[in-house]
Amino acid sequence: MRPGDLSSFRWWVCPVLLALAAFCFDVADRRLHDGLLVTGLLDDPAHLATAALGLLVVARFVEAPRRFYVAALIASVAIDLDHIPLYLGLGAQNQRPVTHSLATVVVCAVAAAAGRRHRAILAGTVAGLLLHFARDIAEGPPGVRMLWPLQQTAWIAGYWWFLGMIVLFMGADLMLGGLGIPRTRRRVFGYADERLQSAPAEPAAPPRTLM
């Protein structure tokens, strides 16, 4: 395989494999309900693959540091740690915790806007949370109380919402990559400054002597 062919292969295979992984793990998660361990082994990979697929589209438009994407992927599964009290018999068992809401997203977004030091990590967390909630909504009951505490109504969508979402992400990435658009990506979170700081300094020119 020639280098050009390899580059073309990598361009389309990644979104296709991620979409396939998200689909397969999601279907298995919906069909198998054999306890917490089995559900976790299926639900988390489905969330991770869905988030990675969405981030591929984001990366078409912005040039962000690696910590942004790492934080987004971690957040896309780590938010489910708020289920632990439910598994211990604490809280309402028929609905997701209130941390599964836009309130958590707003807190992270405000923190990202308020300070520059961890802005990329917090912004990545926001992206990961939104992608996680989008799939949770499509899982059916109990849904997600997105507007808590303003509203207790849970947002619920059907399976076709999730299927449409992964098809949209995959199609958008393939289309943008095939057309080569956008031509340039916007650098965010000081990515250009970070690259300059990590680059090795050029040796100083030796002093010239006057004859």
Side-chain angles (χ1 to χ4, degrees), residues 22-43:
F23 172 77
C24 291
F25 278 111
D26 183 82
V27 169
D29 184 38
R30 292 171 189 269
R31 292 180 178 272
L32 300 177
H33 300 280
D34 296 330
L36 175 62
L37 179 60
V38 173
T39 300
L41 291 175
L42 298 173
D43 187 58

Side-chain angles (χ1 to χ4, degrees), residues 105-123:
V105 175
V106 170
V107 169
C108 294
V110 170
R116 296 186 57 184
R117 184 174 182 181
H118 301 296
R119 182 170 294 172
I121 294 175
L122 291 168

Side-chain angles (χ1 to χ4, degrees), residues 111-174:
R116 296 186 57 184
R117 184 174 182 181
H118 301 296
R119 182 170 294 172
I121 294 175
L122 291 168
T125 301
V126 168
L129 291 175
L130 291 174
L131 290 165
H132 179 99
F133 296 158
R135 178 172 174 267
D136 274 352
I137 291 172
E139 285 188 309
V144 182
R145 291 175 290 171
M146 291 295 288
L147 298 182
W148 180 92
L150 302 177
Q151 190 181 81
Q152 294 294 329
T153 304
W155 292 16
I156 302 175
Y159 173 71
W160 292 104
W161 166 276
F162 172 73
L163 186 61
M165 182 171 63
I166 61 174
V167 170
L168 177 64
F169 286 158
M170 181 186 69
D173 187 68
L174 291 174

Side-chain angles (χ1 to χ4, degrees), residues 19 33 47 54 56-57 71 76 94-95 98-99 104 111 116-117 119 132-133 148 155 168 186 207:
H33 300 280
H47 274 302
L56 284 181
V57 181
S76 71
N94 61 342
Q95 56 190 5
V98 295
T99 41
T104 306
R116 296 186 57 184
R117 184 174 182 181
R119 182 170 294 172
H132 179 99
F133 296 158
W148 180 92
W155 292 16
L168 177 64
R186 181 178 180 182

